[in-house]
Amino acid sequence: MKTEKEFHDFLENGDKYYIPNLTIDCAIFGYHGKELKILLAKWRGLDGWGLPGGFIKKKETLSNAATRILKEKTSLDKLYLKQFHVFGDSEFRRKEKEGLSFSPGNNRYLLPKNSWLHERTISIGYYALVEYSQVNLMTDYFIEELVWQDINQVPKLLFDHNEMLSYALRNMRINLYHIPIGYNLLPNKFTLPEIQSLYETILDKKLDRRNFSKKLLKLELIKDTKEVKKIGQHRSPKLYQFDMKKYNEALKNGIVLAI
Amino acid sequence: MKTEKEFHDFLENGDKYYIPNLTIDCAIFGYHGKELKILLAKWRGLDGWGLPGGFIKKKETLSNAATRILKEKTSLDKLYLKQFHVFGDSEFRRKEKEGLSFSPGNNRYLLPKNSWLHERTISIGYYALVEYSQVNLMTDYFIEELVWQDINQVPKLLFDHNEMLSYALRNMRINLYHIPIGYNLLPNKFTLPEIQSLYETILDKKLDRRNFSKKLLKLELIKDTKEVKKIGQHRSPKLYQFDMKKYNEALKNGIVLAI
DNA sequence: GCAAAAGTGTTGCACCTACACCCATGG
DNA sequence: CCATGGGTGTAGGTGCAACACTTTTGC
């Protein structure tokens, strides 16, 4: 949604291109340094923050829609995306909206009473994990601003988005024990302390170095590159790499990781 | 959908009462004796079997819609229902349908080309577990017949319903280890061999009697009623009962059951 | 040589699996 | 008293958590 023309066409005729009543919202978790962040979007005209989201095109698959929405905001296109819940029960999701307005380029635009955008929406929640320094945040006619917010300092969000976020977080953490992560979050070659720190950040707890390395190596998803990383005035840690064949098998078949 | 009037009103004006493009399909698993069955529905006019399903009313919550659909077919209203996946990616779910017809009371009724029912539908999958001898199967203008089919003898189903069923089954089995079951599946008072048989049937594997009882009792979800059940020419097994307080807590907080 | 981080091995304990004997019941 | 299914205890193994010392590096 780049131009004003596109924007008005969407407001007036969006229901010809998109499925009304049904949206996708994405909890995009970003890992960087040793922090877990969530990507929040500020809509023009709505005074507050929420998760980025969008509508599904009439003939688009759900996974393509979710990928497209993510790409529009972050310009990433290879990432791990997972459906985690459908939201249609809260007060907000049962009733039609009214008096929605948008302020593209600071021209306030009040939606007509019978606008398709006033209809009730049921939302499919997806979550993603990305390395946030690789992300190129992109605003548009709807999104005034995008920020990475520390997961522990999320303000009150619009609609039912706090509930969505908490579902996403819980789901993502449970999934961590059954699905390998890291390929989209770490450099190509990484050290054991780096990947351990990733897990510690996401799970928000300290892990034992010795036990972590035993458990992770037993899965055989990563292999020693025989190189080390120079980190200055300390012993140089070994560099590891994902074994993509085994990693992809693990993505498909699941893992059991008891950390 | 009981009368012909209602039926025609639904075909012509359904999109005024229901959200188009979005449906709910239910994989209703039935336990009885020592067998796991799935409830299949035969639609009038569509030549084949599928999972029971329906549309969501404009102002209805998703859980109410799923419960309503289940009640319409089984007349049960207290049961365990769980959302497990949204289906919108398969070939069938991406394109609009055409030439749908129904045969209520054997009067063939061909839908007009622009009928709202020809639109693409995205479907939210729910699964339920019920004790099938308590179920009162109810057909209507759409459903010509409902049958319980052994889980190992499911034929090729309509649309993507085989895929749905296999997702549902996998999800339900995984959930078994994290959520207590049995309250809707067993008599009020039941014996250890009975509940063990339930687990064995659902998981499709034999479990060790001694270990099973130790693990289950440790959860403290069931309590000894100090009664026994007369089963004829054998030792009388003790009768147990769910401790509803703990059972409901376990439903909310989850359990860890390593059987 | 010292400060900081990486690497690694062992032991105890809890839990799980595997397994066998006795008990109750009705015919 | 016998056939059948119910009830229970124990020994052995596995795997996890807890824990400390040695190595590497740059200054």
Side-chain angles (χ1 to χ4, degrees):
Chain A
M1 201 86 45
K2 289 290 160 214
T3 68
E4 188 163 351
K5 190 163 175 304
E6 276 178 2
F7 172 74
H8 281 284
D9 188 40
F10 172 78
L11 293 188
E12 281 149 35
N13 303 310
D15 58 344
K16 296 196 179 59
Y17 318 131
Y18 295 95
I19 298 176
N21 302 299
L22 193 58
T23 58
I24 285 178
D25 285 302
C26 298
I28 306 171
F29 294 105
Y31 171 73
H32 186 66
K34 303 198 169 190
E35 294 192 330
L36 184 64
K37 310 237 177 197
I38 178 79
L39 189 63
L40 297 182
K42 186 173 187 181
W43 267 282
R44 290 189 199 281
L46 293 175
D47 195 25
W49 297 86
L51 301 177
F55 285 90
I56 299 151
K57 290 183 185 169
K58 290 263 185 190
K59 305 208 170 179
E60 185 179 40
T61 66
L62 294 180
S63 3
N64 286 349
T67 309
R68 172 178 54 76
I69 289 165
L70 238 110
K71 187 172 182 179
E72 283 167 10
K73 310 297 189 261
T74 63
S75 65
L76 291 177
D77 60 358
K78 272 187 61 180
L79 31 79
Y80 178 72
L81 253 173
K82 185 158 164 50
Q83 204 191 89
F84 66 92
H85 195 72
V86 190
F87 296 86
D89 284 8
S90 71
E91 175 69 15
F92 164 74
R93 302 236 165 254
R94 283 207 317 265
K95 60 179 192 200
E96 309 208 335
K97 307 173 211 13
E98 47 184 63
L100 275 186
S101 68
F102 297 94
S103 315
N106 299 318
N107 298 318
R108 194 154 191 88
Y109 184 95
L110 185 67
L111 286 180
K113 205 170 166 65
N114 64 348
S115 163
W116 71 286
L117 282 165
H118 278 149
E119 288 187 43
R120 168 189 183 186
T121 52
I122 286 166
S123 181
I124 307 176
Y126 277 79
Y127 74 79
L129 275 168
V130 304
E131 216 282 279
Y132 96 60
S133 64
Q134 292 171 15
V135 168
N136 181 15
L137 294 180
M138 301 201 294
T139 58
D140 59 25
Y141 256 80
F142 275 99
I143 304 298
E144 186 178 334
E145 201 182 342
L146 285 161
V147 297
W148 287 106
Q149 182 72 30
D150 191 290
I151 202 69
N152 298 308
Q153 288 166 28
V154 174
K156 174 125 184 45
L157 303 178
L158 293 167
F159 322 131
D160 56 350
H161 285 195
N162 288 93
E163 188 191 352
M164 279 190 180
L165 176 54
S166 105
Y167 259 74
L169 195 56
R170 183 167 48 215
N171 241 278
M172 191 259 288
R173 283 179 173 152
I174 291 173
N175 261 275
L176 209 60
Y177 297 98
H178 304 296
I179 291 171
I181 59 161
Y183 179 60
N184 293 307
L185 298 178
L186 293 169
N188 182 253
K189 294 174 183 177
F190 54 89
T191 67
L192 277 185
E194 280 167 356
I195 191 170
Q196 177 172 346
S197 177
L198 168 66
Y199 274 89
E200 288 181 336
T201 303
I202 295 179
L203 293 174
D204 196 25
K205 65 179 179 192
K206 272 278 165 206
L207 302 172
D208 184 276
R209 197 152 37 101
R210 292 157 285 207
N211 296 335
F212 180 83
S213 97
K214 269 179 283 183
K215 287 172 194 173
L216 190 63
L217 290 171
K218 198 163 58 176
L219 292 179
E220 297 185 315
L221 296 177
I222 64 173
K223 51 190 185 193
D224 195 335
T225 62
K226 309 286 179 201
E227 299 168 57
V228 293
K229 180 173 183 175
K230 295 278 178 200
I231 54 162
Q233 177 181 359
H234 306 292
R235 175 164 181 176
S236 307
K238 297 186 193 171
L239 281 165
Y240 290 84
Q241 223 172 7
F242 284 105
D243 178 332
M244 287 322 287
K245 189 164 172 301
K246 296 201 173 171
Y247 190 89
N248 287 323
E249 277 168 21
L251 269 180
K252 210 188 312 171
N253 304 327
I255 57 174
V256 177
L257 182 57
I259 57 176
Chain B
M1 202 86 43
K2 287 293 161 209
T3 68
E4 187 163 351
K5 192 164 175 301
E6 277 179 1
F7 172 74
H8 281 285
D9 189 39
F10 173 78
L11 293 187
E12 281 149 35
N13 304 309
D15 58 343
K16 295 195 179 61
Y17 318 132
Y18 295 96
I19 298 175
N21 302 298
L22 193 58
T23 59
I24 285 180
D25 285 302
C26 298
I28 307 171
F29 294 105
Y31 172 72
H32 187 64
K34 303 199 169 190
E35 294 192 329
L36 185 64
K37 311 239 178 196
I38 178 79
L39 189 63
L40 297 181
K42 186 173 188 183
W43 265 280
R44 291 188 199 280
L46 292 174
D47 196 24
W49 296 85
L51 301 177
F55 284 91
I56 300 151
K57 289 183 184 168
K58 290 262 185 191
K59 304 208 170 177
E60 185 179 39
T61 66
L62 295 180
S63 3
N64 286 349
T67 308
R68 174 178 54 75
I69 289 165
L70 240 110
K71 188 174 181 178
E72 282 167 10
K73 309 302 189 257
T74 63
S75 64
L76 291 177
D77 61 358
K78 273 187 60 181
L79 31 78
Y80 179 71
L81 254 172
K82 187 160 164 48
Q83 205 190 90
F84 67 91
H85 195 73
V86 190
F87 296 86
D89 284 7
S90 70
E91 176 69 15
F92 164 73
R93 302 234 163 254
R94 283 208 316 267
K95 60 178 191 200
E96 310 208 336
K97 306 173 211 14
E98 47 185 63
L100 275 186
S101 68
F102 297 93
S103 314
N106 299 316
N107 298 318
R108 196 154 190 88
Y109 184 97
L110 186 66
L111 286 180
K113 205 172 166 64
N114 64 348
S115 164
W116 72 285
L117 283 165
H118 278 149
E119 288 188 42
R120 168 190 184 186
T121 53
I122 285 166
S123 181
I124 307 175
Y126 277 80
Y127 74 79
L129 277 167
V130 303
E131 216 281 282
Y132 96 61
S133 65
Q134 292 171 14
V135 168
N136 180 15
L137 295 179
M138 301 200 294
T139 58
D140 59 24
Y141 256 81
F142 276 98
I143 305 299
E144 185 177 336
E145 201 182 344
L146 285 162
V147 297
W148 287 107
Q149 182 73 30
D150 191 290
I151 202 69
N152 297 308
Q153 288 166 28
V154 174
K156 174 127 183 45
L157 302 177
L158 292 166
F159 322 130
D160 56 350
H161 285 195
N162 288 94
E163 187 190 353
M164 280 191 180
L165 175 54
S166 105
Y167 260 74
L169 196 55
R170 183 166 49 213
N171 241 278
M172 192 260 289
R173 284 180 173 150
I174 292 173
N175 261 276
L176 208 60
Y177 297 98
H178 304 295
I179 291 172
I181 58 160
Y183 179 60
N184 294 307
L185 298 178
L186 292 170
N188 182 255
K189 294 176 182 175
F190 52 88
T191 67
L192 277 185
E194 281 167 355
I195 191 171
Q196 178 173 345
S197 176
L198 168 66
Y199 274 90
E200 288 181 337
T201 303
I202 295 179
L203 292 174
D204 196 25
K205 65 179 179 192
K206 272 279 165 205
L207 302 172
D208 184 277
R209 196 153 35 104
R210 292 157 285 212
N211 296 335
F212 180 81
S213 100
K214 269 179 284 184
K215 286 172 194 173
L216 189 63
L217 290 171
K218 199 163 57 175
L219 292 178
E220 296 185 317
L221 295 177
I222 63 175
K223 52 188 182 193
D224 195 335
T225 62
K226 307 290 178 197
E227 297 168 59
V228 294
K229 180 174 184 175
K230 294 279 177 199
I231 53 162
Q233 179 181 358
H234 307 291
R235 176 167 181 172
S236 309
K238 296 187 195 170
L239 282 165
Y240 290 85
Q241 222 172 9
F242 284 105
D243 179 332
M244 288 320 290
K245 189 164 173 299
K246 296 202 172 167
Y247 190 89
N248 287 322
E249 276 168 22
L251 270 179
K252 210 189 310 172
N253 304 328
I255 57 174
V256 177
L257 182 57
I259 58 177

